[in-house]
Amino acid sequence: MPVRQGRYTLVLPSAPGISGYAAVVGKKEGEGPLGSGFDYIYEDGTAGEKTWEKAESVMHRDAVSRAISKAGISPQDADVIFAGDLLNQCIGSTFGIRELGIPFAGMYGACSTMALSLAAAAACVDSRIAETAIASTSSHFCSAEKQFRMPLEYGGQRTPTSQWTATAASAAVVTKNEAKARIEKVIIGRIQDYGIKDANNMGAAMAPAACRTIADFLRDTNTSPSDYDLILTGDLGTVGTELLCELMMKQENIDISSVHSDCGLMIYDVSKQKEVGAGGSGCGCSGAVLCSEILKRLELGELKKVFFVGTGALMSSVSSLQSESIPSVAHGVLLAGG
Amino acid sequence: MPVRQGRYTLVLPSAPGISGYAAVVGKKEGEGPLGSGFDYIYEDGTAGEKTWEKAESVMHRDAVSRAISKAGISPQDADVIFAGDLLNQCIGSTFGIRELGIPFAGMYGACSTMALSLAAAAACVDSRIAETAIASTSSHFCSAEKQFRMPLEYGGQRTPTSQWTATAASAAVVTKNEAKARIEKVIIGRIQDYGIKDANNMGAAMAPAACRTIADFLRDTNTSPSDYDLILTGDLGTVGTELLCELMMKQENIDISSVHSDCGLMIYDVSKQKEVGAGGSGCGCSGAVLCSEILKRLELGELKKVFFVGTGALMSSVSSLQSESIPSVAHGVLLAGG
């Protein structure tokens, strides 16, 4: 049964295990540094569909199906699926998983959705709300660009601070028994709003939320950055990463720079794949990095303790047009090798 | 600790209590049959704001603040808030509650969001994931109409099957101890898709999901409609209600008609307020009916067992333009008098 540690952290004494995980990505992500570790690379971003939204749903379903299959279960064995994405009314998820017949709890955390869903799945399994819970998410560069920014055909120039929405879907199956990695603690974040209004600089908007959650977690658990092999944010990119390290030093007097990495800087080679600007973003980005490289290294024992912090910018194109600032949130999951 | 009953139902042995609840609504809802029972009626639908979205956020925050205050706690006492709404990227919720500093888990269930959030809050409290959890949601006729259908200024004629998005926000505070009503069981629904494509007939699209969840729940709990004072769906309207009763009879051989009511038919007087068409809808509709009339009657002992079933249509305007059908889901919460 979960036990609270400090004000915001939840310890999961049974340390629910991830028994299956999968990540499928688009061509550009396949060409990135982690390319060989993904379960499938869609060379054709349409996935054979007529629209980008339908393509995203196909990838979402594919990731969930692969994770279920790798966990050695069938969809009927799952008690609940926590899923969400960036598309209006989360149609990437709902149309993706509608045929699976799994009880569906929709989640919204923008790019933090994988951390939020995984935290929910783990808390459910630890507390016996579910025997088997799934967390999944997706994003697609083309559906996101069209929805949040400009028609693709417009070919607008991007600012250097802007991030590239990853075409990726990922899923993890959480159960009590088998484990390739275990989830020991989770923390649900509080919304932070530093008044950033530039929708082309999400990293800056999200860094304060990451700072808040990491600081809360370290204080709650009475630990320091050196207790972790990796503090992994997703996705701050170059601008947000620099800001996060600075905020952690100035506000909290904590130096995380030696153990910090960011999924947005791992999925692409920012120095070579210039078009991605400040790095990757989108629900699928941190999900895909987690459900390939990170979980694999935890499974192999190369990593022992990873604090995964998903960050989400809680805005819409309407809120930005109405001159609103960008509130953000970050949720954390402490992973340990299986 | 939660215990599973049958395949899909979760029994919450501690029966978490609702210690505070509130509903605020717009003018038209205030003029409806339940008008005198709401906590506040916004005669001005803008709530003094410049945009409909900002107005919805103001109402959302207002409902949460009132529920917290009526529960006799402060925002810092809440361990988590489950919140969601219909707006793209759920900005009604996120901008509404951003200043409260409560750990925020965003949920998406379209019009089923109040049932989903309340189920999550109750499961968390029963399993000690949280001591105090809040569920909240909102919708606004003008922000929804603008986003899903036509600019308000266009003045388009509505079909008789279309439902009227309620301008309403609601919140409930769930804790282990005090109780005006208790949550005994919850069920998370499975997505149903009967191929309905008419976005002006949500009731028809959502009825199969309500049927599925009610049938699953009755079978899991080995109960019949006569065991409940009320099976309350939200929101099917006139068309969906008729279809639900028919589906329950034909597919499941269960007659729910004598104990069934629908929030969409309670919030307005459909025979007099002709402009609402087939009845109310929107996240705020079922939330506001629950967090006024229903919880009050449970508190007073006039109702003893209410099975509240929130229904959600999981589409977006983009999916409809792409000729997709409308998948739906329904989540259930069994409420008992305090």
Side-chain angles (χ1 to χ4, degrees):
Chain A
M1 202 186 313
V3 183
R4 217 154 258 272
Q5 182 177 27
R7 178 64 190 98
Y8 299 108
T9 301
L10 205 64
V11 181
L12 309 179
S14 72
I18 294 175
S19 57
Y21 56 88
V24 301
V25 300
K27 187 164 181 283
K28 189 186 294 291
E29 294 71 25
E31 290 165 356
L34 307 180
S36 63
F38 297 120
D39 291 80
Y40 188 76
I41 297 166
Y42 283 84
E43 294 292 332
D44 173 5
T46 72
E49 297 292 323
K50 283 187 180 168
T51 72
W52 303 120
E53 291 79 10
K54 289 179 201 276
E56 182 174 336
S57 288
V58 165
M59 294 180 190
H60 198 121
R61 178 167 50 251
D62 189 15
V64 174
S65 300
R66 285 171 189 270
I68 286 176
S69 157
K70 286 166 83 177
I73 62 168
S74 67
Q76 299 92 280
D77 297 322
D79 297 316
V80 63
I81 180 165
F82 295 97
D85 60 275
L86 286 174
L87 294 182
N88 297 344
Q89 289 72 56
C90 300
I91 57 169
S93 311
T94 55
F95 284 88
I97 62 170
R98 64 177 156 178
E99 286 134 30
L100 297 176
I102 305 171
F104 162 66
M107 307 233 72
Y108 187 73
C111 302
S112 74
T113 300
M114 193 60 187
L116 176 62
S117 298
L118 196 57
C124 277
V125 169
D126 186 68
S127 61
R128 301 201 190 163
I129 288 171
E131 284 285 313
T132 303
I134 301 174
S136 68
T137 192
S138 61
S139 57
H140 194 301
F141 176 76
C142 301
S143 62
E145 202 67 11
K146 165 186 165 185
Q147 176 180 284
F148 287 111
R149 294 177 190 95
M150 289 287 182
L152 285 173
E153 296 79 359
Y154 179 72
Q157 198 160 3
R158 300 163 62 84
T159 68
T161 56
S162 72
Q163 291 173 245
W164 190 275
T165 305
T167 298
S170 63
V173 178
V174 182
T175 57
K176 194 141 257 168
N177 304 321
E178 299 176 65
K180 297 175 177 183
R182 296 199 167 274
I183 299 165
E184 297 186 334
K185 301 179 185 187
V186 301
I187 180 168
I188 299 299
R190 292 176 285 157
I191 298 175
Q192 305 294 308
D193 190 338
Y194 275 34
I196 305 276
K197 291 190 175 187
D198 181 0
N200 289 311
N201 194 351
M202 292 296 185
M206 296 190 292
C211 173
R212 179 78 278 127
T213 297
I214 295 170
D216 283 348
F217 183 79
L218 294 177
R219 192 185 51 249
D220 280 353
T221 56
N222 197 23
T223 56
S224 64
S226 61
D227 293 315
Y228 304 94
D229 297 327
L230 188 60
I231 293 178
L232 179 69
T233 50
D235 314 286
L236 299 175
T238 48
V239 181
T241 292
E242 199 182 319
L243 261 172
L244 169 63
C245 291
E246 199 178 315
L247 278 172
M248 288 298 300
M249 275 307 292
K250 289 199 175 155
Q251 284 188 8
E252 311 289 339
N253 200 26
I254 299 172
D255 182 2
I256 61 164
S257 57
S258 62
V259 294
H260 176 261
S261 292
D262 183 74
C263 297
L265 297 175
M266 294 172 71
I267 199 164
Y268 303 118
D269 184 337
V270 186
S271 65
K272 286 186 190 152
Q273 295 174 296
K274 294 279 187 201
E275 69 279 19
V276 304
S281 71
C283 300
C285 179
S286 64
V289 172
L290 180 76
C291 291
S292 61
E293 174 80 0
I294 303 302
L295 284 174
K296 211 161 287 173
R297 292 186 64 195
L298 280 160
E299 191 179 344
L300 293 172
E302 292 174 21
L303 290 170
K304 301 227 179 313
K305 293 267 179 198
V306 174
F307 184 44
F308 172 61
V309 184
T311 59
L314 303 171
M315 42 68 73
S316 76
S317 49
V318 168
S319 69
S320 290
L321 286 171
Q322 293 180 4
S323 306
E324 270 288 4
S325 57
I326 304 174
S328 291
V329 75
H331 305 295
V333 174
L334 177 61
L335 294 150
Chain B
M1 204 187 311
V3 184
R4 217 156 259 271
Q5 182 177 27
R7 177 66 192 96
Y8 299 108
T9 301
L10 205 64
V11 180
L12 309 177
S14 72
I18 294 175
S19 57
Y21 56 88
V24 302
V25 300
K27 187 164 180 284
K28 189 186 293 291
E29 293 71 24
E31 289 164 355
L34 307 181
S36 63
F38 298 119
D39 291 81
Y40 188 75
I41 297 165
Y42 283 83
E43 293 293 331
D44 173 4
T46 71
E49 296 293 321
K50 282 187 183 169
T51 72
W52 303 121
E53 291 79 11
K54 289 179 201 275
E56 183 175 337
S57 289
V58 164
M59 293 180 190
H60 198 121
R61 177 165 54 250
D62 189 14
V64 173
S65 300
R66 285 171 189 269
I68 286 175
S69 156
K70 286 166 84 177
I73 62 169
S74 67
Q76 298 91 281
D77 297 323
D79 297 316
V80 62
I81 181 165
F82 295 97
D85 60 275
L86 287 175
L87 294 182
N88 297 344
Q89 289 72 55
C90 300
I91 57 169
S93 310
T94 54
F95 284 88
I97 62 170
R98 66 177 154 178
E99 285 133 31
L100 297 176
I102 305 171
F104 163 66
M107 309 234 66
Y108 187 74
C111 301
S112 74
T113 301
M114 193 61 189
L116 176 62
S117 298
L118 197 57
C124 278
V125 169
D126 186 67
S127 62
R128 300 201 193 163
I129 289 171
E131 284 284 313
T132 303
I134 300 174
S136 69
T137 191
S138 61
S139 57
H140 194 300
F141 175 77
C142 300
S143 61
E145 202 68 10
K146 165 185 165 186
Q147 177 180 282
F148 287 112
R149 296 180 189 94
M150 290 286 181
L152 284 173
E153 296 78 359
Y154 179 72
Q157 198 158 2
R158 299 162 65 84
T159 69
T161 56
S162 72
Q163 291 174 243
W164 189 274
T165 306
T167 298
S170 63
V173 178
V174 181
T175 58
K176 194 142 257 171
N177 305 321
E178 297 179 64
K180 298 178 175 176
R182 295 199 168 274
I183 300 165
E184 297 186 336
K185 302 179 184 185
V186 301
I187 180 168
I188 299 299
R190 292 175 285 156
I191 297 176
Q192 305 294 307
D193 190 337
Y194 275 36
I196 306 275
K197 291 191 176 185
D198 181 0
N200 288 311
N201 194 352
M202 292 296 184
M206 297 189 292
C211 174
R212 179 77 278 129
T213 297
I214 295 170
D216 283 349
F217 183 80
L218 294 178
R219 192 185 50 249
D220 280 353
T221 56
N222 196 23
T223 56
S224 64
S226 62
D227 292 315
Y228 304 93
D229 297 327
L230 188 60
I231 294 178
L232 179 69
T233 51
D235 311 285
L236 299 175
T238 47
V239 181
T241 292
E242 200 182 318
L243 261 172
L244 169 63
C245 291
E246 200 178 314
L247 277 172
M248 288 299 300
M249 274 309 291
K250 289 197 175 155
Q251 284 189 6
E252 311 289 340
N253 199 26
I254 299 172
D255 182 3
I256 61 163
S257 57
S258 62
V259 294
H260 176 260
S261 292
D262 184 74
C263 297
L265 297 175
M266 293 171 72
I267 199 165
Y268 304 119
D269 184 337
V270 186
S271 64
K272 285 186 190 153
Q273 295 173 297
K274 294 279 187 201
E275 69 279 19
V276 304
S281 71
C283 300
C285 180
S286 64
V289 172
L290 180 77
C291 292
S292 60
E293 176 77 0
I294 303 302
L295 285 174
K296 211 161 287 174
R297 292 186 62 195
L298 281 160
E299 191 179 344
L300 292 172
E302 293 174 19
L303 290 170
K304 301 228 179 312
K305 292 268 180 198
V306 174
F307 184 45
F308 171 61
V309 184
T311 59
L314 303 171
M315 41 68 72
S316 76
S317 48
V318 169
S319 68
S320 290
L321 286 171
Q322 293 181 1
S323 305
E324 270 288 4
S325 56
I326 304 173
S328 291
V329 75
H331 305 295
V333 175
L334 177 61
L335 294 150

